[in-house]
Amino acid sequence: MIGYAYGALGGLMGFLAGFGATLSHILGDIFTYEQFKPFLPFSSREISFKLFRSSNKAINNGLLGCGIFVFIISYEPSILWQFLDFIRNYL
């Protein structure tokens, strides 16, 4: 619906959102033990930093929380400044 309402700008926003989501998912996969080929059409090199298992609930919940936070501030950037003020004043 956003793409229709805003024309070409909405289409660009949708493309950037999809591209960003895919890129962040690949970056998250790089840190797991499972090796994969992120550049498969161009290179068959397998990559993995092997920092944690993909089944680790704490890491998954932390990454989910970061994703939700980034999603929220992408639509309302003033929330970021309010959050930083909260941290500075109360912690």
Side-chain angles (χ1 to χ4, degrees):
M1 204 62 177
I2 290 175
Y4 181 74
Y6 293 106
L9 180 61
L12 178 63
M13 288 171 41
F15 171 78
L16 291 176
F19 183 76
T22 303
L23 185 62
S24 66
H25 187 92
I26 289 173
L27 288 174
D29 284 344
I30 286 176
F31 294 108
T32 64
Y33 279 97
E34 292 295 321
Q35 292 187 344
F36 71 106
K37 302 172 184 175
F39 308 112
L40 187 58
F42 309 107
S43 172
S44 61
R45 182 176 177 192
E46 292 185 343
I47 297 175
S48 175
F49 292 154
K50 299 182 181 186
L51 296 177
F52 54 81
R53 297 203 178 278
S54 58
S55 61
N56 187 330
K57 294 285 185 189
I59 297 293
N60 285 331
N61 289 336
L63 290 174
L64 176 64
C66 289
I68 290 171
F69 182 72
V70 168
F71 177 78
I72 290 171
I73 65 169
S74 70
Y75 283 100
E76 187 57 49
S78 66
I79 292 174
L80 177 61
W81 304 121
Q82 293 171 10
F83 179 71
L84 293 175
D85 284 340
F86 172 79
I87 290 174
R88 186 179 47 179
N89 294 329
Y90 297 105
L91 297 180

